[in-house]
Amino acid sequence: MSKLASPHPVLKWAGGKRQLLEDIDQELPKELKEGKIKRYYEPMVGGGAVFFHVKQKYGSLIESFHISDFNWDLFILYRVIQSHVKKLIKELESLASEYLPLPPTQQGEKEGERISMFERIRNEYNSKKWAAVRYRKDGTTLRKRFSKEWIRRSALTIFLNRTCFNGLYRVNSSGEFNVPHGRYDNPDIVNASNLLLVHEALKGVRIDVGSYEQFLDEMDSESFVYFDPPYRPLPNTNSFKEYHKAKFGDEEQLKLADQCKELNDKGVKFLLSNSDPKNTDKDDNFFDDAYSDFVVFRVNANRNINSDGAKRGKITEILVRNYEVRGCFQKKLFNEY
């Protein structure tokens, strides 16, 4: 992979980690940087910013990479980029050649040629026809064997992400993509150069779909896992977005904390990120209590957690680890409130 160009996330993803990569890199275990970690796992990969960073910077030191997500559309997108990137680029070029010549949508406009095309593509994306592509005959088991329809589906995912409002990926309780059209003059729908870099990064990577729990039993003392679960929503803010229709509430957050304790007992090193409830309630110790056996610390992030733009700014997010960094384990870093 080129040292001059680095792959970056194909999709804009709520809670993406590109802005925190420097902080996260500093908190990676020294064993990973020394080639003593053999296996890297990211079972809630989302947009994949941390995975791409680790693969680019430390890939030659790690024997195997395993990524997965509960979101089936992410799964097939990464599989398509891994094995059929040129066909995906061609499909995206076709969509771009139809969309970009249309007049850009103006502020306050509720109808227009781009809006019409966007809504047509969104309707196709939400069509019931995809159920047969997504599920096996039982209607619940996800299909994992490649289908040529995956290429079109993946192109639609990227197109909608590039042209929808604020680049959100959000679905309703029925699993339908429900973000409205955005207002961009010249969105980069194809970005072939990055797709090719991502293709290179995904070579030899194990890609799967389903619960984060599927890989836990095979992890051992030579494994490192990065968890980036759906963020715990901050009360009275717009910080929470629906990535898929599956629930991930406090019960699931606490179950993940228990799983981390079991991994720790096996000698698996983990790093976990989440929202910081102290941004809105300084007395909320949910994560400090859940991960009291480990190092819980906070890093600054730029997130829009308030609908009032004047009140947006830096907030803190949680990082949790179970290993030493720079010879320090017990020291906990907290912001003063």
Side-chain angles (χ1 to χ4, degrees), residues 174-237:
S174 299
E176 296 178 334
F177 186 85
N178 64 352
V179 185
H181 183 251
R183 185 165 55 86
Y184 307 102
D185 289 344
N186 190 35
D188 191 353
I189 294 171
V190 183
N191 199 349
S193 59
N194 184 57
L195 285 174
L196 292 172
L197 289 171
V198 171
H199 167 73
E200 290 294 320
L202 290 173
K203 284 184 175 179
V205 174
R206 176 180 168 189
I207 305 171
D208 215 325
V209 62
S211 169
Y212 70 91
E213 298 174 272
Q214 63 185 319
F215 290 148
L216 298 183
D217 288 343
E218 66 187 58
M219 296 179 188
D220 58 22
S221 60
E222 293 185 327
S223 302
F224 169 74
V225 55
Y226 171 60
F227 290 113
D228 187 24
Y231 272 19
R232 184 174 185 249
L234 301 178
N236 304 316
T237 74

Side-chain angles (χ1 to χ4, degrees), residues 50-68:
V50 174
F51 159 71
F52 292 126
H53 173 78
V54 173
K55 187 66 157 56
Q56 174 78 7
K57 193 169 182 179
Y58 307 108
S60 63
L61 302 175
I62 301 172
E63 291 181 359
S64 62
F65 285 81
H66 311 259
I67 64 173
S68 66

